[in-house]
Amino acid sequence: MTEARPVRRGGYRKGEESRQRILEVAIREFGRVGFTAATTRTIAQQAGATLPSLQYYFGGKEGLYRACAEEIAARFIAMTVDAAQGAAEALVAGAGDLRAELKRTMAAVARAMTGSDAAGLWGAFVSRELLAPGPAFDVMLEKLFAPGIDLIAAMIARVQGREEADEPARIRAMLMIASLTAFQSGRSVALRVFGWDDVGAAQLAAITAALDAEIDAL
């Protein structure tokens, strides 16, 4: 019994590595050509996996697509959870500097959307899903879009002296978040316009400073 445990652990580790490799390839392929044009055969080949293994992990094309959305949401949440929790706690307590918490939250969102190495990869997938909602739209709406807009809108409303998030606050929140897509899905345009080689630490600092100024003007 004890001799079999390392084998099982090794098998699980290899299985998880294979699953993650398929996800990485699938996010890129779905982002490149969209849900309809992408094929599980191509994804499996590019991931060095077999079609049966892809079906075993994800159940098929739609299951894989939804798993990609779940993966993107999980990574984004992991990158922003500390700031989001701090903001939520400040809202509940009704204490602290809410403007500073809003800045911290938007800085975390900016890092996740534009400053991470995977941002461009995620951006293509998310942009396609926003333009032509598919099987993953409900996943992203429930786990990313709606909670993010709700939290930021609540903070904007409170900073402006209102107790609850209203339509103007939600519109402002959506505009604030959407402005960052110019440096994510529109990264190539931003690089050309600003003469940047990449969106690195200095560029992210400039983006964050612009967000801070917008928040100061609320």
Side-chain angles (χ1 to χ4, degrees):
M1 292 293 292
T2 55
E3 292 179 357
R5 286 178 185 170
V7 175
R8 288 201 298 270
R9 285 199 298 269
Y12 174 81
R13 183 170 58 252
K14 288 180 180 179
E16 184 59 24
E17 288 172 356
S18 177
R19 183 180 184 278
Q20 286 298 318
R21 192 162 58 248
I22 293 170
L23 278 175
E24 292 289 338
V25 170
I27 291 171
R28 182 179 297 107
E29 186 66 9
F30 284 132
R32 188 177 71 86
V33 302
F35 175 74
T36 301
T39 68
T40 53
R41 183 176 300 277
T42 297
I43 291 169
Q45 288 175 345
Q46 290 180 357
T50 63
L51 270 177
S53 66
L54 185 150
Q55 292 164 353
Y56 171 78
Y57 291 122
F58 305 104
K61 184 176 176 180
E62 184 169 327
L64 174 59
Y65 193 72
R66 292 178 64 86
C68 288
E70 296 272 3
E71 180 72 8
I72 291 170
R75 294 185 188 184
F76 189 91
I77 290 168
M79 296 178 71
T80 58
V81 63
D82 290 343
Q85 284 182 347
E89 290 168 3
L91 281 168
V92 171
D97 188 344
L98 286 175
R99 198 180 297 270
E101 290 292 345
L102 178 55
K103 289 180 180 181
R104 182 168 174 252
T105 300
M106 285 306 304
V109 173
R111 282 194 300 274
M113 288 182 66
T114 71
S116 68
D117 292 337
L121 174 64
W122 305 351
F125 184 102
V126 174
S127 293
R128 282 188 174 275
E129 194 61 24
L130 287 173
L131 289 171
F137 182 77
D138 288 343
V139 172
M140 307 205 83
L141 180 65
E142 177 184 347
K143 297 198 171 183
L144 280 184
F145 306 143
I149 291 168
D150 286 347
L151 176 62
I152 293 168
M155 297 184 73
I156 289 172
R158 194 72 65 83
V159 165
Q160 293 181 324
R162 303 188 300 281
E163 285 299 316
E164 302 292 336
D166 50 14
E167 186 173 90
R170 291 179 186 279
I171 290 173
R172 181 66 70 93
M174 284 195 67
L175 288 172
M176 198 175 289
I177 296 168
S179 68
L180 292 170
T181 63
F183 303 96
Q184 186 189 53
S185 56
R187 177 176 295 230
S188 59
V189 175
L191 295 181
R192 181 68 64 86
V193 168
F194 294 108
W196 294 344
D197 294 327
D198 197 2
V199 181
Q203 291 76 25
L204 181 57
I207 294 167
T208 303
L211 285 170
D212 288 349
E214 186 175 347
I215 293 168
D216 284 334
L218 289 174

